[in-house]
Amino acid sequence: MSLQIIKENSSANFRKNLIAQTVAAALAVTSFASFSAEETSVEKEDLDDIIVVTAQKRTQNVMKVPVTVDSISAETIKQSGSIMLSDIDKFIPGFEFGDGDVTQAGVTMRGISSPNISVGGDPSTATFFDGVYMPRAAQNVLFSDMQRVEVLKGPQGTLFGKNAAMGVVSMIPNAPHADFEGFIKGTAGTDNLQRIEGMINFAITDNVYVRMNALTNTQDGFADNVADSPLNTGEKVWDDSEKDHQAARIAVKWDVSSRTNVQLSYDWDKLDQGPPGAIGLSEYAENPRDPFADTFANDVVNGGESRDMTATTLKIEHEFNDQWSMKLISSFREWETNNRIDEDGTQDISRYLDTDNHEDSDIFYNELQINYNTDSFNYVGGVTYSKENVHQTTFINTTTDTVTRLLSDQFNAEIESGVRDEISGLIGIPADQIPDSFVDQAMQGLGLPLEHTWNADQWVSALEVMGEADNVMAYLASLGMVPPGTPLTADFVRATGDVTYDVVSAGMGIAEIFGPSYSGMMWSENFINNGEFTSYGIYSDFDFQLTDQWNVFFGLRYSEDDKDFSWEVSETQFAEVRPGVSNVLFPARDELWQSKSWSKTTGRVGTGYQINDDHMVFASVATGYKAGGFDSLASPHSESDGSIIIDPETGEVVDVSFDPEESVNIELGYKGVLSDSLRTTFSLFHNILDDQQTSRSSKQPDQAQALPTIVNQDVEIDGFELGMDWQVTETFTTGFVTEVRSTDTETEEFYNDSGTLIPAGSSSSDTNTSYTLKADWIPDLGFGTTIIHVDYVFRENDRGAIIGEDDWVNDIPHYFDDTELLNARISWISDGESIEIGLWGKNLMDNRYSGGPGGRTKDILGTGYTSVNRGMEAGIDVKYSF
């Protein structure tokens, strides 16, 4: 229902009723599980007829679609102030979208998330924009002039191909048309939020139309980064979640004839902003006991998140006759991303670590679809082809101060072993039976353990215990630098700078031992990955209308994925400063390629029964598939020296690919309208997901630092989803969506981020409940039109079921809290509909929560961290339409 229709009615009361129906329709589409179609000739005043769906790649009335789908309309996007997927997930049961890093965000569908850190893998839920598949770092785009967003849950391998093991998300922008229209909208809010959006649509000729739109969104961070590090001299220091994102689109549509149209579009997206802050929880952090303080300290050098992305898309649609039609989509999208984040949550130069992911990738996507439609039979089939080229360099950056701290730990291990042996000899007990407390006491008596070799007092103590102190001074005496018999003292170490360190380095043959003159220099070890991914698919799907009330459908798809992938780890560039040093975090590796192919036939079968015009039941069984892949940080090299691992049985390089995900979903559902005012959708599902690819921060043996690693697990999910919308009066509507699920998980063994081997095991989560309550009211104030929108979001916390979490996570404030968010918007529309003013608020209860823990440096540097959400927000927006 458009405001233009409202304008054409002179009765004030009838006008209010139509606006109420507009809001009700938008909300009904949200929870009623329907894919809205493009503009149709259906009369818009009839709410029972307006909701038309394309979830099965064919146009159908929502009441005859035997699948569970959801759609967010443009009206809901506007009333909720949404500009990204993370803003609208609250309206869709079973769907979440991460609101952290834009370039590494991911979909969670019915509790199953997709790891996006590796360019060698794929998401479990497929994301499409304007009918084109969007890989990992391209998924999160701004809602600039968006017509709707559609979410289809459960495996969708038949119609949508690979990587739809858990569902599909489709963003559909508005298309050009013949009418002249446009708008400009400005938004201002807390934390200096500034958002400007504009659109214009016009006809060049009688059959050629142009639509252009743009959006810019900037906002300051909500916590000040007070890091004052010499490492960042002259570089911008980002505050927590500081935003700067722009997007634009131009589309040209040509109606070649009454049966043929061609559309060419160009999309541009530019991001340059701060990542979520690494809020330190260690004793070395700015506010170790209060992650929600107004300040934090991240000293990451030249940190930030950026993405430059463009796409060109060609769409051709042609109707051969009243039954046969075709659609061709061809698109080329390319992007460059950079995501450099703090990994220690401090500004301690000797505990510094950051990761920096650079990606330069592109995808060429093509689909040819054929449709055949009659009153009793529908067919959709087609072929898909895509070619993706990926390149990622992952920089693991630290400082020479941190490297020296890590080497100090190695000294301590050797010294501790010697002390343990000495105690064993004195008391006659085997070394491995000596209590740790005895060894710790002895070490303390010696002024150890060594915290950092550049601590002169500790350095002297360590050399004395190792029996090297006299050797160092004897060597210096032989050079005439000191008189014979001069003892090694801390004052001498401080006075001579690097001298004693260089002597020990040469004597032990360890170039990585160096003195404090190298302090403040950067040390980087780089993972380099390249990939060429080719994907093919062919599908056919049939829908038979057996009677006026009963239909059945079934379909099959064959998918094949070929992946070539490479790994390389470069030598640290610090070797140019100090010749002879080698990597201390990960061994250097020469480039090595592997190739692997996966194929899968997926299918679905189902039925729907229309009890009457108001009630329908349906059932389906569907399978899905997510391609296998390669972990960008786990290569077929040994971890100890970087050499290639050879399979002793085959004599070939070991295969390090991970298996594809395979899912089966059984679903029963109901859709109905009660008393012409209460719309209800209900679905009950059982999902089996084999070999789910989860990303865990893992520290393997002989690995100095934890890194994201793919761990496979099997999952079974039982749950139900319910959506209800009730038009209470002509001017008041309310709605409710909820999801309840329980999950059983079996995980293979893996090392967690502290290097502890977590044995293979299983876990069962308690019943997890999430829901959203919403209401819209249109009070009659006598002038213009006022709409009041309120929504309340509750999500039960299920983090306690995660296998392998370290104990320190239990102490993170508000990490295990359930989420409660209250949002509202009051808007006023002028009688001429040219002006709209809105006042809005988000998280009005100002609830604060901790995000996922960062423990990559917890074991080696004692520095764990978390992320936190933004507090209450409020603002105003003004829109002028013409």
Side-chain angles (χ1 to χ4, degrees):
M1 180 84 56
S2 67
L3 289 176
Q4 182 61 35
I5 294 176
I6 298 172
K7 181 178 180 181
E8 294 170 356
N9 295 279
S10 58
S11 169
N13 290 334
F14 186 54
R15 179 175 181 275
K16 297 295 183 184
N17 182 40
L18 285 174
I19 296 178
Q21 290 182 337
T22 301
V23 177
L27 292 174
V29 173
T30 300
S31 66
F32 190 60
S34 64
F35 261 42
S36 303
E38 310 234 355
E39 285 295 321
T40 70
S41 60
V42 180
E43 289 296 324
K44 296 183 180 180
E45 286 82 1
D46 189 343
L47 285 180
D48 293 331
D49 292 337
I50 64 168
I51 305 174
V52 181
V53 303
T54 56
Q56 300 182 95
K57 294 196 173 182
R58 50 174 70 88
T59 301
Q60 296 171 294
N61 186 290
V62 67
M63 298 302 291
K64 296 183 179 181
V65 178
V67 291
T68 302
V69 292
D70 298 87
S71 180
I72 300 297
S73 68
E75 179 69 18
T76 301
I77 290 173
K78 180 184 71 173
Q79 291 297 335
S80 60
S82 302
I83 63 168
M84 304 191 85
L85 286 171
S86 57
D87 297 322
I88 63 168
D89 57 3
K90 60 188 176 183
F91 297 115
I92 302 174
F95 170 63
E96 296 180 47
F97 196 89
D99 59 356
D101 299 333
V102 171
T103 58
Q104 294 181 2
V107 176
T108 297
M109 194 75 77
R110 289 178 170 171
I112 302 300
S113 60
S114 303
N116 282 327
I117 188 68
S118 173
V119 294
D122 297 288
S124 299
T125 297
T127 301
F128 288 80
F129 180 84
D130 200 17
V132 177
Y133 176 72
M134 304 274 281
R136 305 159 316 279
Q139 290 179 331
N140 210 353
V141 296
L142 288 171
F143 292 170
S144 179
D145 192 33
M146 195 69 68
Q147 182 185 111
R148 66 188 184 276
V149 178
E150 306 170 341
V151 177
L152 180 56
K153 285 166 287 186
Q156 307 298 327
T158 305
L159 291 174
F160 292 93
K162 69 166 186 174
N163 306 334
M166 289 304 298
V168 170
V169 178
S170 180
M171 294 170 280
I172 303 173
N174 284 303
H177 55 79
D179 297 334
F180 176 79
E181 65 171 336
F183 72 84
I184 185 168
K185 180 179 180 180
T187 302
T190 50
D191 297 326
N192 195 30
L193 171 66
Q194 299 180 40
R195 185 181 304 156
I196 300 175
E197 182 179 7
M199 182 278 295
I200 187 169
N201 185 102
F202 58 91
I204 298 178
T205 66
D206 290 341
N207 60 347
V208 178
Y209 326 117
V210 177
R211 193 176 187 96
M212 297 184 292
N213 58 272
L215 188 152
T216 177
N217 184 65
T218 63
Q219 188 174 22
D220 292 344
F222 57 85
D224 295 333
N225 188 354
V226 296
D228 184 19
S229 169
L231 301 175
N232 262 327
T233 303
E235 304 289 351
K236 178 175 176 56
V237 177
W238 293 93
D239 294 333
D240 195 351
S241 299
E242 192 171 347
K243 300 181 183 299
D244 189 351
H245 198 173
Q246 294 86 38
R249 173 180 171 89
I250 180 170
V252 180
K253 185 176 181 180
W254 175 28
D255 286 337
V256 181
S257 69
S258 61
R259 292 186 177 270
T260 306
N261 68 77
V262 178
Q263 179 177 299
L264 182 66
S265 60
Y266 177 79
D267 293 277
W268 171 84
D269 182 287
K270 184 174 178 58
L271 173 78
D272 187 12
Q273 62 185 30
I279 309 300
L281 299 172
S282 69
E283 59 184 299
Y284 316 104
E286 179 72 13
N287 296 289
R289 288 171 295 278
D290 184 10
F292 303 101
D294 293 333
T295 60
F296 71 107
N298 283 176
D299 58 356
V300 54
V301 177
N302 198 24
E305 181 180 20
S306 65
R307 181 181 66 190
D308 288 305
M309 182 168 64
T310 60
T312 303
T313 302
L314 174 68
K315 298 170 66 175
I316 301 175
E317 297 178 303
H318 176 70
E319 296 179 357
F320 297 101
N321 52 43
D322 292 342
Q323 289 80 40
W324 287 97
S325 63
M326 59 82 69
K327 178 168 65 175
L328 172 68
I329 298 177
S330 184
S331 177
F332 181 77
R333 179 176 293 269
E334 58 183 344
W335 60 93
E336 294 183 15
T337 70
N338 175 32
N339 193 341
R340 189 168 185 175
I341 60 175
D342 195 295
E343 294 285 3
D344 58 89
T346 78
Q347 61 173 334
D348 186 335
I349 195 173
S350 69
R351 301 178 193 275
Y352 180 99
L353 189 80
D354 78 63
T355 55
D356 186 9
N357 289 299
H358 288 229
E359 183 177 351
D360 184 359
S361 302
D362 60 69
I363 183 172
F364 180 45
Y365 178 85
N366 303 269
E367 180 172 5
L368 175 63
Q369 178 184 317
I370 301 294
N371 290 77
Y372 178 78
N373 300 290
T374 68
D375 291 338
S376 59
F377 173 69
N378 287 281
Y379 166 79
V380 59
V383 294
T384 60
Y385 166 81
S386 66
K387 180 75 172 182
E388 187 175 354
N389 297 296
V390 302
H391 172 81
Q392 177 175 278
T393 300
T394 302
F395 299 85
I396 312 297
N397 301 304
T398 186
T399 61
T400 48
D401 307 68
T402 302
V403 168
T404 301
R405 179 177 293 281
L406 297 177
L407 290 171
S408 302
D409 291 339
Q410 296 180 22
F411 272 111
N412 287 330
E414 294 182 14
I415 294 171
E416 184 177 306
S417 177
V419 171
R420 186 178 295 274
D421 289 339
E422 186 173 346
I423 295 175
S424 174
L426 289 174
I427 64 178
I429 297 178
D432 59 355
Q433 296 181 18
I434 303 296
D436 291 341
S437 59
F438 285 15
V439 179
D440 292 342
Q441 186 174 358
M443 292 281 285
Q444 292 174 9
L446 297 170
L448 297 171
L450 179 66
E451 181 184 5
H452 201 286
T453 59
W454 293 345
N455 181 310
D457 295 288
Q458 294 179 349
W459 175 240
V460 171
S461 297
L463 293 181
E464 288 177 344
V465 172
M466 295 170 64
E468 293 293 334
D470 291 342
N471 294 336
V472 170
M473 299 309 290
Y475 176 74
L476 294 177
S478 70
L479 297 178
M481 296 180 63
V482 297
T486 301
L488 178 62
T489 65
D491 289 338
F492 179 82
V493 171
R494 283 188 283 266
T496 55
D498 292 353
V499 170
T500 58
Y501 299 93
D502 290 338
V503 171
V504 174
S505 175
M508 300 181 69
I510 304 176
E512 290 76 26
I513 299 175
F514 45 78
S517 69
Y518 292 94
S519 176
M521 296 185 181
M522 298 304 298
W523 179 294
S524 181
E525 299 179 15
N526 311 326
F527 287 78
I528 303 170
N529 302 107
N530 291 284
E532 296 179 1
F533 307 153
T534 306
S535 180
Y536 311 87
I538 181 169
Y539 62 94
S540 286
D541 195 77
F542 307 85
D543 190 333
F544 297 90
Q545 192 70 38
L546 302 180
T547 70
D548 289 342
Q549 294 175 290
W550 182 30
N551 77 299
V552 296
F553 61 89
F554 65 88
L556 289 173
R557 182 187 190 108
Y558 174 78
S559 300
E560 180 176 324
D561 293 281
D562 303 325
K563 291 189 177 183
D564 299 321
F565 198 71
S566 74
W567 301 263
E568 179 184 355
V569 180
S570 63
E571 289 279 6
T572 177
Q573 294 182 345
F574 188 69
E576 299 174 3
V577 179
R578 185 172 175 84
V581 301
S582 59
N583 292 9
V584 298
L585 300 176
F586 308 97
R589 304 164 179 167
D590 294 331
E591 185 180 43
L592 179 64
W593 283 82
Q594 279 199 349
S595 300
K596 192 73 179 277
S597 295
W598 298 269
S599 62
K600 184 69 177 178
T601 299
T602 54
R604 67 172 190 154
V605 60
T607 185
Y609 186 77
Q610 195 78 34
I611 300 172
N612 54 40
D613 289 342
D614 292 330
H615 304 282
M616 173 192 181
V617 292
F618 62 89
S620 66
V621 178
T623 62
Y625 159 76
K626 169 181 172 179
F630 300 96
D631 195 330
S632 60
L633 304 181
S635 68
H637 302 80
S638 70
E639 292 297 336
S640 59
D641 60 6
S643 61
I644 298 172
I645 304 175
I646 303 297
D647 188 320
E649 295 183 1
T650 65
E652 299 178 350
V653 178
V654 67
D655 178 12
V656 296
S657 63
F658 47 76
D659 294 331
E661 290 182 1
E662 298 180 11
S663 63
V664 179
N665 187 73
I666 303 170
E667 193 143 354
L668 304 174
Y670 161 81
K671 301 177 181 182
V673 179
L674 302 174
S675 303
D676 295 326
S677 62
L678 180 62
R679 298 179 181 268
T680 304
T681 300
F682 175 82
S683 64
L684 183 70
F685 62 88
H686 175 70
N687 190 282
I688 302 172
L689 182 62
D690 292 333
D691 292 317
Q692 182 200 0
Q693 302 157 11
T694 61
S695 182
R696 299 295 184 91
S697 186
S698 177
K699 184 173 179 288
Q700 306 286 333
D702 300 325
Q703 183 174 299
Q705 203 256 151
L707 285 175
T709 303
I710 298 298
V711 176
N712 289 108
Q713 61 186 26
D714 296 331
V715 182
E716 288 194 23
I717 308 169
D718 291 290
F720 72 83
E721 295 163 352
L722 174 66
M724 303 181 71
D725 281 283
W726 180 25
Q727 186 166 335
V728 183
T729 69
E730 293 181 347
T731 60
F732 181 73
T733 63
T734 184
F736 173 75
V737 297
T738 186
E739 172 208 16
V740 177
R741 67 173 184 269
S742 61
T743 306
D744 296 323
T745 304
E746 293 185 3
T747 302
E748 64 182 19
E749 68 176 24
F750 67 97
Y751 289 91
N752 67 8
D753 54 16
S754 294
T756 301
L757 180 62
I758 305 300
S762 61
S763 68
S764 296
S765 70
D766 296 331
T767 299
N768 182 265
T769 303
S770 299
Y771 62 85
T772 298
L773 297 169
K774 54 188 182 293
D776 284 77
W777 178 41
I778 307 176
D780 188 356
L781 302 182
F783 60 96
T785 302
T786 302
I787 302 175
I788 301 174
H789 167 84
V790 179
D791 63 71
Y792 170 79
V793 182
F794 175 86
R795 284 182 176 160
E796 185 176 347
N797 191 300
D798 62 354
R799 287 168 170 165
I802 298 176
I803 298 175
E805 287 277 41
D806 285 333
D807 291 339
W808 70 274
V809 172
N810 295 324
D811 297 326
I812 298 178
H814 301 289
Y815 177 65
F816 294 100
D817 288 359
D818 297 330
T819 299
E820 296 180 83
L821 300 173
L822 178 64
N823 312 287
R825 184 175 188 267
I826 302 175
S827 58
W828 175 82
I829 305 169
S830 66
D831 288 331
E833 301 161 19
S834 60
I835 298 176
E836 180 175 358
I837 301 174
L839 298 175
W840 53 267
K842 295 183 179 182
N843 191 10
L844 292 174
M845 296 184 292
D846 198 26
N847 289 336
R848 308 297 300 277
Y849 306 99
S850 293
R856 295 179 187 173
T857 59
K858 184 67 171 64
D859 182 55
I860 60 172
L861 298 174
T863 51
Y865 66 90
T866 187
S867 62
V868 299
N869 68 312
R870 194 183 292 266
M872 183 177 66
E873 297 181 74
I876 183 173
D877 57 68
V878 179
K879 180 179 179 181
Y880 174 71
S881 301
F882 52 87

